[in-house]
Amino acid sequence: MPSATTDNAADDSDESLMLRFAGGDIGAFDVLYARHELAVWRYVFRSVRVQAVADDLLQDVWFAVARSAPTYTVSARFKTWLFTMAHNRVVDHFRTAKQHVSIDAQGDDDEGLGLGDTLAADSGFGPVRRLESSEQAAALIAAVERLPLEQREAFLLQAEAGLSVEGIAEATGVSFETAKSRLRYARNSLRQQLQEFA
């Protein structure tokens, strides 16, 4: 039976939920997880491109959230703080990974779905939701794949996490102008690569 403190948790801000979790309210963590699990997983999955790795990194992110609870302070939006952790896990993965898998590569799941298959689904990925065909989805996937890493990160943090330029800058540890520039270059590149679908 949920405690009285978690009954209204759905209406609480992420920051207040995290503070409540730090104070021992496990239900507050459950609400945070339910709110953000899918968006974090999509960001990580589209960054690392292998489902098993994304699943492991997602687990690492949420363990880190739980471990950080006792020292958590509201110094930024919770979502920015969370995606900074996710970004750091992705960066650490690439530092230690020996191989990079193509964005079209099939994951380790039994269904064998590659990213191209998953993006076409209703995933909340703004540009893909508006696409009318798998050909357009494949073109977008290929275009995102061709972006330089820093531009791809900025684009995915905005598309998946819904972070602002300020949030992207904070999550990636760069200045506002650098984040803005990376996002602008990413958009321009995608626009040029996808002209035939405009």
Side-chain angles (χ1 to χ4, degrees), residues 31-119:
V31 174
L32 284 171
Y33 185 82
R35 281 184 188 174
H36 300 290
E37 179 225 1
L38 184 59
V40 173
W41 185 85
R42 283 192 315 245
Y43 167 71
V44 172
F45 177 63
R46 292 190 180 131
S47 297
V48 300
R49 305 174 194 130
V50 178
Q51 183 173 350
V53 173
D55 291 345
D56 288 345
L57 291 175
L58 178 72
Q59 188 174 17
D60 288 348
V61 169
W62 288 104
F63 280 146
V65 168
R67 281 191 306 270
S68 299
T71 59
Y72 176 78
T73 58
V74 181
S75 59
R77 287 181 53 218
F78 173 81
K79 194 171 186 180
T80 302
W81 180 78
L82 176 63
F83 277 88
T84 299
M85 285 190 168
H87 170 75
N88 291 340
R89 296 308 178 282
V90 168
V91 168
D92 290 346
H93 164 74
F94 282 124
R95 281 189 188 134
T96 59
K98 298 191 190 232
Q99 298 179 8
H100 295 283
V101 180
S102 167
I103 200 165
D104 305 302
Q106 292 185 348
D108 295 337
D109 59 323
D110 294 336
E111 297 170 9
L113 295 177
L115 180 57
D117 302 316
T118 62
L119 274 180

Side-chain angles (χ1 to χ4, degrees), residues 118-136:
T118 62
L119 274 180
D122 182 18
S123 65
F125 193 78
V128 176
R129 257 190 276 149
R130 294 188 292 271
L131 296 179
E132 298 174 1
S133 73
S134 60
E135 178 184 354
Q136 289 172 315

Side-chain angles (χ1 to χ4, degrees), residues 140 143-144 146-148 151-152 154-155 158 179-196 198:
L140 177 61
V144 171
R146 287 189 289 270
L147 291 173
Q151 291 176 25
R152 187 170 63 235
F155 177 77
Q158 185 175 64
K180 184 177 177 182
S181 177
R182 288 176 180 176
L183 193 55
R184 183 177 63 246
Y185 284 127
R187 287 180 183 158
N188 288 343
S189 177
L190 292 173
R191 205 172 287 122
Q192 288 174 356
Q193 293 182 61
L194 300 170
Q195 279 181 346
E196 64 183 285

